[in-house]
Amino acid sequence: MTVSPLVRTLLEKRGVMGEEAMARFLTPSYERDTHDPFLMPDMDRAVARILLALEQGERIAVYGDFDCDGIPGAALLHQVFRKVGHEALEVYIPHRDEEGYGFHAHAIDVLKERGVSLIITVDVGTTAVEAVAHAKALGIDVIVTDHHDVSQALPECIVLNPQRAGYPFPGLSGTGVAFKVAQALLAEGKKRGMERFTAIQDGWEKWLLDLVAIATIADMMPLVGENRALVYWGLRVLRKTQRPGLRALAAAARMQLHEATEDDVGFSIAPRINAASRMGTPELAFRLLSTEDAREAEQIASELEKLNTSRKSKVASIVKEAKKRMQARYNPHDAVAVLGDPEWKPGLLGLVATSLLSGRKGIVCVWGRDAKGSLKGSCRTDGSVSVVELFSRAEEALEEWGGHRASGGFTLKPDGVHTFAETLAQAHAALPAGVGIEAREADIVLAVREANWALYADISQLAPFGAGNPKPLFKIAAHIAQIKPFGKEKNHVELTLSCNDTGRTCRAFEFFKSAEDFSHAPAENTTATVLSTLERDTFRGRTAVALRIVDIMPR
């Protein structure tokens, strides 16, 4: 295939070398780039136990985490069980505020009362030793499907986790693991000649990829390797999805589903699904993804839209107060910042931490108090240090913790709130030298006149973009013709960049920032160096190419 010099340069910067590797990257193949699900340790045992449950008509429970990874995964398995005609099915999603993250013993008790004899977790359970032991004591078998760190003790049950040795790609999302279960179950059911499986058209499971794409993007999993193929094709399924709920959600969000991109998932779909649990009703999101009724879908989508609007208002209020405290307690160079308030709702604090991290380095942790009185919070990092590694060195202040490299959650010990900031700062200082990462450099130097549709089409060959495959970063030296705030609350910034030799202008923007928030505060009628990505911009009802500002530096 023909690869432009620009795309070739971008691929090489990503470590993709040689004609064959470039062709594979630019043309992801579902058949070629996804792995045999039976390569995952204990997949054969898991499938055998599920098939036995189907044959014996056992009541199965799908226990999914409450976020935009666990809920799509629960909806995926629910759809598979319904497809094979298994009606003896329960779905349990814990309440974020009242129950918190994890596989809970009291939930197992509830499922036992409902006659469940097999529980399949989604996106949770890798370290749930006590909960699994409780289930076994009640005569309930457990299959854990998860993707979180496996450095801690694994429960004594069937555990499906791509991070266990043997599976070729460790970066699957929780829903991605659930999809591998679906792949294996369908293949084995057909192999055994079971009528409920042989009646299903070959390749039907590809219609599940819309859920896989949503979860993989929402959980910020690396969009390389197997994930690249799953998301590449998952977005294509999403654009023609058969789910009334996703169609209704897109309509409510004023999103063109037929041309959905990873940005639409990250900024429109995922926040609305997550709003359900953040605002207290996680079942709404599950119902949205699993309903087959268009009218019900519209009602749920409308409710999620209201919850998301309310969520944005509450987060904005907390961010405003937190920024004041941040400025009073920390300087921009402090590597660790910890803020908290008993009045803050823990389910919103991941978003708050992300907002506070914008424009600074290091790690930000924010805590609040849940409905049971526990102090819980979220941490976000710029990538220079692993949240999980940091938590492991600050256990004296923590009751529970978990997460990924760039984000995590925690529960403070009753007296840990007084020492957490100091403990975390000491843990950070004790990390070995060299664990950080270099600041990302621009991929290409660009002139304002070159920011056009031809360039956009060229770099779009590398999509979908995300963790592990970031959008190309351009360095542009430009004249700043105009600076102005925009948005309902005037809390976003817009620059008009001009090219002196051609007079061509281009819009550059960033959300939730003012001109003073960048490394260099630009002024009108001056020149500056703008680091940015290239975006498809539909602001003010027009479609154009624009620049999304990453940072501004002096010329």
Side-chain angles (χ1 to χ4, degrees):
M1 63 182 302
T2 302
V3 180
S4 73
L6 171 62
V7 171
R8 186 178 297 275
T9 297
L10 293 172
L11 287 171
E12 290 174 349
K13 282 177 173 286
R14 285 155 176 73
V16 182
M17 305 289 186
E19 299 301 320
E20 182 179 351
M22 289 183 180
R24 288 173 68 98
F25 188 94
L26 296 175
T27 56
S29 165
Y30 175 81
E31 287 74 17
R32 181 193 65 210
D33 299 333
T34 60
H35 302 298
D36 180 351
F38 287 100
L39 293 175
M40 195 172 294
D42 288 330
M43 182 64 80
D44 54 346
R45 293 176 59 208
V47 169
R49 180 63 185 91
I50 295 171
L51 290 177
L52 178 64
L54 296 181
E55 290 173 343
Q56 296 185 345
E58 295 179 56
R59 182 162 289 276
I60 300 172
V62 175
Y63 185 107
D65 187 26
F66 46 61
D67 67 2
C68 196
D69 189 6
I71 291 177
L76 185 153
L77 290 183
H78 175 271
Q79 184 177 355
V80 171
F81 284 125
R82 288 296 173 87
K83 185 70 173 178
V84 299
H86 190 74
E87 299 294 331
L89 187 66
E90 299 279 344
V91 174
Y92 191 101
I93 300 172
H95 192 285
R96 184 190 288 261
D97 198 30
E98 295 176 3
E99 297 175 88
Y101 173 81
F103 186 31
H104 303 299
H106 68 266
I108 297 170
D109 292 335
V110 170
L111 295 173
K112 174 65 176 179
E113 292 176 0
R114 296 176 183 173
V116 167
S117 57
L118 174 63
I119 298 175
I120 306 171
T121 74
V122 178
D123 193 33
V124 67
T126 290
T127 60
V129 176
E130 293 180 4
V132 169
H134 182 67
K136 290 177 71 174
L138 295 177
I140 300 175
D141 289 335
V142 177
I143 298 172
V144 166
T145 79
D146 197 3
H147 69 135
H148 291 96
D149 189 81
V150 298
S151 60
Q152 299 181 60
L154 295 174
E156 290 295 324
C157 67
I158 299 172
V159 179
L160 302 177
N161 190 315
Q163 294 200 45
R164 294 180 65 193
Y167 193 71
F169 182 74
L172 293 174
S173 65
T175 297
V177 180
F179 178 72
K180 304 310 290 188
V181 173
Q183 278 186 308
L185 190 63
L186 291 166
E188 183 63 18
K190 287 177 178 290
K191 181 180 177 181
R192 295 189 184 188
M194 299 172 67
E195 186 177 351
R196 64 173 73 197
F197 288 96
T198 57
I200 299 173
Q201 182 180 5
D202 288 344
W204 169 84
E205 73 276 4
K206 294 178 185 178
W207 286 106
L208 304 170
L209 289 175
D210 52 355
L211 297 178
V212 179
I214 289 170
T216 304
I217 293 166
D219 218 36
M220 295 184 289
M221 292 294 98
L223 298 189
V224 296
E226 186 170 19
N227 276 348
R228 178 167 172 79
L230 293 174
V231 173
Y232 181 91
W233 291 105
L235 287 172
R236 279 154 177 74
V237 173
L238 176 62
R239 291 167 194 151
K240 52 184 179 181
T241 185
Q242 299 175 344
R243 301 180 198 281
L246 288 177
R247 292 176 181 173
L249 191 70
R254 297 183 176 86
M255 184 189 115
Q256 299 298 320
L257 194 59
H258 68 277
E259 54 186 20
T261 67
E262 63 273 24
D263 284 343
D264 292 310
V265 172
F267 296 114
S268 295
I269 295 177
R272 286 164 173 81
I273 291 174
N274 275 326
S277 65
R278 294 188 192 281
M279 303 305 290
T281 52
E283 295 83 4
L284 268 181
F286 171 77
R287 286 172 51 207
L288 178 90
L289 296 178
S290 58
T291 184
E292 297 179 359
D293 183 272
R295 179 171 296 181
E296 181 186 23
E298 291 175 3
Q299 293 172 345
I300 297 172
S302 177
E303 183 62 26
L304 286 178
E305 191 68 20
K306 293 175 185 176
L307 288 175
N308 192 49
T309 299
S310 176
R311 185 271 305 168
K312 287 192 286 187
S313 175
K314 291 181 183 297
V315 169
S317 177
I318 296 174
V319 168
K320 184 177 181 180
E321 174 60 27
K323 281 187 174 180
K324 292 180 183 177
R325 300 187 190 186
M326 178 80 83
Q327 292 171 355
R329 298 180 192 177
Y330 298 100
N331 69 61
H333 303 292
D334 287 329
V336 177
V338 177
L339 300 168
D341 193 307
E343 298 301 314
W344 292 348
K345 186 179 175 70
L348 302 175
L349 299 184
L351 301 170
V352 174
T354 298
S355 181
L356 294 176
L357 185 65
S358 177
R360 61 180 293 125
K361 302 293 184 181
I363 184 169
V364 173
C365 294
V366 191
W367 59 264
R369 182 164 55 194
D370 70 8
K372 291 186 175 181
S374 297
L375 299 180
K376 297 186 175 184
S378 293
C379 281
R380 297 292 185 269
T381 173
D382 62 356
S384 61
V385 63
S386 166
V387 171
V388 173
E389 184 175 1
L390 199 59
F391 282 167
S392 71
R393 295 168 180 263
E395 288 185 307
E396 61 190 75
L398 301 173
E399 210 164 71
E400 294 179 312
W401 55 270
H404 305 292
R405 178 177 178 83
S407 64
F410 61 90
T411 301
L412 290 168
K413 292 179 179 177
D415 57 351
V417 64
H418 305 295
T419 61
F420 185 47
E422 182 180 357
T423 300
L424 208 63
Q426 291 174 347
H428 186 276
L431 288 173
V435 299
I437 58 172
E438 296 295 325
R440 187 182 167 204
E441 296 181 354
D443 291 301
I444 300 290
V445 175
L446 192 71
V448 172
R449 66 178 181 277
E450 295 175 298
N452 54 36
W453 283 114
L455 177 63
Y456 180 82
D458 210 17
I459 64 174
S460 292
Q461 295 178 69
L462 279 72
F465 298 111
N469 181 36
K471 290 184 177 181
L473 188 60
F474 297 104
K475 183 178 181 180
I476 304 171
H479 177 80
I480 299 171
Q482 186 179 47
I483 304 172
K484 64 180 180 181
F486 72 98
K488 186 177 180 180
E489 298 178 9
K490 303 298 181 184
N491 56 346
H492 314 308
V493 66
E494 174 181 343
L495 277 64
T496 300
L497 306 182
S498 66
C499 186
N500 289 330
D501 57 348
T502 66
R504 187 181 183 279
T505 63
C506 184
R507 178 176 182 255
F509 67 95
E510 180 56 321
F511 298 115
F512 303 106
K513 281 194 175 182
S514 64
E516 292 72 28
D517 290 331
F518 299 106
S519 298
H520 168 71
E524 291 185 353
N525 297 315
T526 65
T527 57
T529 298
V530 180
L531 289 176
S532 68
T533 58
L534 196 64
E535 309 284 330
R536 179 177 180 273
D537 183 25
T538 57
F539 187 58
R540 299 188 181 101
R542 64 188 181 91
T543 300
V545 170
L547 299 171
R548 180 80 177 267
I549 304 171
V550 174
D551 201 2
I552 300 175
M553 298 174 293
R555 178 74 183 268

